Amino acid sequence: MKLRVLPAALLLTLTGPGAAATLGNNELFLEVWNGQSDSTGRSYIRDLGISLDAFMDAPDCYQRVLADLGADTNLASLKLDGSFPAGTVWTIQALNDDSPGAETSSIVAAADNDPQSPKNHSGFLTTLTQPDQLGDLISVYQQFSVVSTQMGIHLTASAVEGSESFKPGDTGFYNGADGSGSDWGEFMGNSVGFNRNQALGTASPMYFFTVDITDYNTGVLGNNGLAYGQWNFDGTQVSFTNPNHPDIPDTCPKPAACDLPWGGQIADGKSVLAYRSSLSDDCAGNSETRICSNGSLSGSFTHENCAVPKACDLPWGGTLASGKSVDAYSAGESADCATAKQTRTCDNGVLSGDYTFKSCVPLSCDLPWGGKLASGQGVTAYQTAVSADCEAVKQTRTCANGVLGGEYTEQACAAPKACDLPWGGQIASGQGVAAYSASVSADCEAAKEIRNCDNGVLGGGNTLESCAAPKACDLPWGGQIASGQSVTAYQNDKSPYCDQETETRSCDNGVLGGLYTQPTCSVAAYGPYVQLLSPNGGETWSARTAQTVTWTSVNIAAKQRLNLYFSKNGGKHWSLLKKGLPALGQIRFKPGLKRVGGAAMLAICQPITRHSLGKCDKSNAVFAITK
């Protein structure tokens, strides 16, 4: 049977950033499918950084965790609700063609034609769960041809650098060699059609698959049919062990760590998230997972961290996004705002420049009455604040970049105000009125002043509207006295006590003070009587405090005795307070609390006898006793 030449697609040549780490033939790679056949289906390819030749030459040297993918965002895209779906499966494969050139490229043209020779690396290295089914294939060579072609297209279309994820319709999510719809599924897009993929966390042995040189239609398991140890992928770590040779030979090279662009290292097989820049509005969209493979770090991003750039606080309030600029001014007003302008730019929270005003306008003008007027604005001013014709004293003053036109200085103008008069009524501004310091005077002219009204302000200080000469007073017994003069009057025209019953009555502009009506008083003897001198009304006494009561009498025998009475209710009821008192004299009286009140009176009386009805004299008015 003539051997078919494999297509040139197997001889991958990828270019672009990180091309040295681009997945292609002769490299072991991990494939994962999340088991979803609908739009949520996702697949994943990861270059493990190990060539098929290197692995087959010394498989025991790779017994370790070869990749920790916990930080790989491409792998995380296969998860639904934060977890891998139950149907998620994985496989690890590699394809190798050691033919000398593309023109004679053949899957079986090897340096050593013995399928079991350790030097024969032409074929497929893959995890297999059913290696015994190789002999059941109708045409192993045809299977080789189909698988080689499809895997070559798949790897070429993937253009994987480190790792990548795909969804249905993406280049790299295999849809059949001819686009007929052989979708990614259980057989990983038919890259190895006889493979049975494993669930997460389940180990799978790896075999080398080639052909027998004597029968190209016979599939052969290399390595004398023995597995090259076991691979496992638990959703985070990719590891390899060889139960038959658990010890790693001393001759194995130690995988080199990778230097990180920002300092430090990560171990072989480890990965780290890197960013294109340290500042970005979309840090997630500017990140990549960089994987260490024996000293070679995939990817190209060089920043360890990424943060959204900080906005800048503006001097006048508010913020400015990083990378944005704004015009600022050295002053809010300027004769030349263009020269007072500065462009301030925000760079991650740091605002360039130093001008602090948000806007600038031409210079305003100071107004004569205070305040300012914006340039270009006008205002009405007046020559005087008070005028009978304000329109005649008005002008418009306009501000032009700090220069105020016109010369009038008053902000407002009003008609002059009238003045209120002290005695009521008003006079107009500019008028005057006579006012007096006294309403009665012997010289009214001397008490007069003219009060003038000046726009609501009344001059002067006199408050009386008129003034007249003082009036004389009529006397009760006839005749008159002039205002300001006085006269002596008596209570009675006859009395034994004329000198005690007198008062001075004065005339004040027609009003005569006092009450007595007799012009004279003659001393005359009276029949016997008594007189209470104090208390005589209006006093206030304190209870439990000794007070003095005094009285006198006329024409009463010295041996005559008097009685003292008390009334609490203004004379309606009397009670004996003291008897046997002399005809004239005084006593000390201490009123008790029971006598407290505001209508107290005392009376001094002669006792009633067969020869006399008894004479009394009481307080002329009530007095008070308080506690």
Side-chain angles (χ1 to χ4, degrees), residues 429-447:
S429 181
Q431 293 184 350
V433 66
Y436 298 88
S437 60
S439 61
V440 177
S441 174
D443 187 358
C444 285
E445 282 299 314

Side-chain angles (χ1 to χ4, degrees), residues 126-428:
T126 181
T127 52
L128 290 174
T129 59
Q130 298 172 310
D132 56 328
Q133 292 185 4
L134 290 177
D136 296 337
L137 296 174
I138 297 175
S139 172
V140 173
Y141 169 72
Q142 291 178 354
Q143 183 69 28
F144 266 140
S145 178
V146 172
V147 171
S148 300
T149 301
Q150 292 180 348
M151 184 179 288
I153 293 173
H154 179 53
L155 297 179
T156 302
S158 300
V160 175
E161 297 182 15
S163 72
E164 189 57 86
S165 63
F166 308 94
K167 62 181 182 297
D170 286 349
T171 300
F173 191 102
Y174 186 69
N175 291 301
D178 57 0
S180 61
S182 179
D183 293 331
W184 194 295
E186 180 184 2
F187 298 108
M188 299 296 182
N190 292 323
S191 59
V192 178
F194 47 79
N195 185 30
R196 292 296 183 267
N197 305 301
Q198 286 289 19
L200 296 180
T202 303
S204 181
M206 173 167 275
Y207 294 89
F208 182 64
F209 174 36
T210 184
V211 296
D212 191 329
I213 59 174
T214 61
D215 182 359
Y216 298 139
N217 290 325
T218 302
V220 176
L221 293 178
N223 197 31
N224 296 313
L226 299 178
Y228 284 93
Q230 292 185 332
W231 287 87
N232 200 348
F233 175 58
D234 61 3
T236 300
Q237 292 183 334
V238 179
S239 59
F240 177 74
T241 58
N242 189 351
N244 296 323
H245 304 93
D247 297 327
I248 300 176
D250 294 337
T251 57
C252 292
K254 302 298 181 182
C258 296
D259 293 326
L260 295 173
W262 50 82
Q265 291 184 322
I266 58 171
D268 176 66
K270 299 292 184 180
S271 60
V272 66
L273 195 63
Y275 298 90
R276 189 189 307 273
S277 62
S278 60
L279 297 172
S280 174
D281 291 326
D282 182 15
C283 287
N286 287 277
S287 66
E288 69 177 0
T289 300
R290 302 195 65 177
I291 304 165
C292 179
S293 178
N294 194 25
S296 176
L297 188 63
S298 68
S300 59
F301 293 178
T302 58
H303 292 272
E304 181 179 13
N305 300 298
C306 176
V308 176
K310 298 177 182 177
C312 297
D313 293 327
L314 295 171
W316 50 82
T319 58
L320 181 68
S322 182
K324 299 295 183 179
S325 298
V326 66
D327 288 336
Y329 298 86
S330 59
E333 294 183 358
S334 174
D336 186 358
C337 287
T339 60
K341 183 172 71 173
Q342 171 186 79
T343 299
R344 302 193 68 178
T345 302
C346 179
D347 181 11
N348 190 31
V350 178
L351 188 63
S352 68
D354 54 3
Y355 287 2
T356 58
F357 288 84
K358 183 179 182 180
S359 59
C360 177
V361 296
L363 293 174
S364 60
C365 299
D366 293 326
L367 294 171
W369 50 82
K372 288 182 176 293
L373 181 67
S375 181
Q377 299 293 312
V379 66
T380 299
Y382 297 88
Q383 187 175 22
T384 178
V386 178
S387 173
D389 186 3
C390 287
E391 285 296 315
V393 294
K394 180 176 73 172
Q395 74 176 179
T396 298
R397 304 193 67 179
T398 302
C399 179
N401 200 19
V403 177
L404 185 63
E407 66 277 346
Y408 287 1
T409 59
E410 297 295 335
Q411 184 178 14
C413 174
K417 297 178 182 179
C419 295
D420 294 325
L421 295 173
W423 49 85
Q426 290 183 324
I427 60 172

Side-chain angles (χ1 to χ4, degrees), residues 55-74:
F55 180 81
M56 291 181 66
D57 285 342
D60 292 343
C61 290
Y62 296 91
Q63 296 191 80
R64 63 182 185 275
V65 174
L66 294 168
D68 187 337
L69 308 180
D72 193 335
T73 56
N74 290 323

